[in-house]
Amino acid sequence: MAEDYESYVDTLRVLTTVGEVTPENFTHLLQHWHSNQHIYRPHVIADENGKVVATGMLLVERKLIHECGSVGHIEDIAVSADQQGKNLGRYMIEQLTQLANDLKCYKVILDCSESNCGFYEKCGYSNAGCEMTKRF
Ligand code: ACO
């Protein structure tokens, strides 16, 4: 996946600020994710040329509650601007949701803006409260 550096980073720019990430930073991060696969499950969708056009991450949190159950967290969903509206976002969410189920998570959750609630509802999710944050 190291060769995906540019398109991976570009795709994420539709979501938020990525900032300066060198190819070395990218490679180290991929190694970290890879050596902690029980927690980090990054996913991408590539076009016919192998360029990343959609990203998503499932994080698996092992808890004490629910008999040491696991919760899936969906993060960093982004579809390139020129590929939006082609069901790639929906496909990404379906895949990550299925993976959370396969990994025996008792639920899967995510935070999103009001403007994206409709998208997640179409993916079968329902509003379960509010998001709180404290930024550093
Ligand atoms: N509000 C309501 N409905 C929506 C929205 C929206 N913002 N976006 C898509 N939909 C609908 C589509 O119309 C479609 O409906 P249909 O079944 O009636 O045809 C359905 O949801 C599926 O749409 P997709 O084509 O799969 O959506 P897309 O591939 O464009 O991906 C996404 C949606 C991920 C929100 C994309 O627009 C994007 O990357 N936006 C910028 C980054 C972003 O906001 N990411 C989500 C952050 S939240 C997180 O990461 C947990």
Side-chain angles (χ1 to χ4, degrees):
M1 240 164 53
E3 64 277 12
D4 296 332
Y5 162 69
E6 278 185 27
S7 55
Y8 203 139
V9 168
D10 275 349
T11 301
L12 280 166
R13 290 192 210 282
V14 303
L15 173 64
T16 189
T17 307
V18 180
E20 283 300 309
V21 178
T22 66
E24 292 72 31
N25 296 150
F26 182 75
T27 302
H28 284 144
L29 183 61
L30 291 190
Q31 285 165 352
H32 176 73
W33 287 346
H34 188 68
S35 55
N36 293 282
Q37 287 179 65
H38 56 297
I39 302 173
Y40 297 98
R41 303 299 284 252
H43 282 61
V44 298
I45 299 172
D47 69 10
E48 61 278 11
N49 301 312
K51 181 181 157 212
V52 172
V53 292
T55 69
M57 169 73 86
L58 178 74
L59 289 165
V60 179
E61 176 197 7
R62 292 193 60 181
K63 301 179 81 76
L64 188 54
I65 59 172
H66 289 278
E67 299 169 342
C68 298
S70 295
V71 171
H73 298 263
I74 287 181
E75 293 280 346
D76 298 343
I77 302 300
V79 176
S80 300
D82 62 348
Q83 299 290 332
Q84 291 178 8
K86 299 180 178 177
N87 283 316
L88 296 181
R90 188 202 316 260
Y91 182 73
M92 177 63 76
I93 296 300
E94 285 171 356
Q95 295 303 304
L96 297 178
T97 304
Q98 183 61 52
L99 179 58
N101 193 29
D102 293 345
L103 295 172
K104 312 283 184 232
C105 293
Y106 67 87
K107 68 175 179 180
V108 57
I109 59 178
L110 58 87
D111 293 329
C112 73
S113 62
E114 286 279 336
S115 62
N116 280 331
C117 286
F119 166 69
Y120 288 109
E121 281 165 1
K122 290 202 164 171
C123 295
Y125 283 66
S126 52
N127 193 326
C130 64
E131 176 189 345
M132 307 290 285
T133 186
K134 190 173 184 72
R135 298 191 78 97
F136 297 108

